[in-house]
Amino acid sequence: MRAGGGLTAVADALAGFLDRDDPVALLDAGYGLALRDDPRTAEEYDHRWDAVWEWNRNNGLIQPVD
């Protein structure tokens, strides 16, 4: 879903969290922006989340969806 109309204000609010030092706020904001297909999502990219995801997947904590 692309941000537009009233959703633009929500996306702008989420983007406001991208400059915080709180990793949970950053992850939540990045996730919210990704759901809205907002280009500011890329500003939140952090390779550490990929490493955690891979570890969980490799250790059977995340199951593939068929």
Side-chain angles (χ1 to χ4, degrees):
M1 137 182 33
R2 281 210 177 268
L7 295 178
T8 301
V10 173
D12 289 344
L14 288 168
F17 286 95
L18 295 178
D19 62 355
R20 303 251 175 124
D21 290 330
D22 178 359
V24 174
L26 287 170
L27 181 60
D28 287 341
Y31 177 68
L33 290 171
L35 289 176
R36 289 160 180 79
D37 195 25
D38 190 289
R40 294 172 285 190
T41 303
E43 296 173 20
E44 174 38 30
Y45 177 76
D46 186 331
H47 69 279
R48 293 174 294 179
W49 296 115
D50 285 342
V52 170
W53 178 268
E54 284 293 318
W55 185 90
N56 281 304
R57 189 176 58 126
N58 292 339
N59 288 286
L61 300 173
I62 298 173
Q63 300 298 320
V65 177
D66 293 327

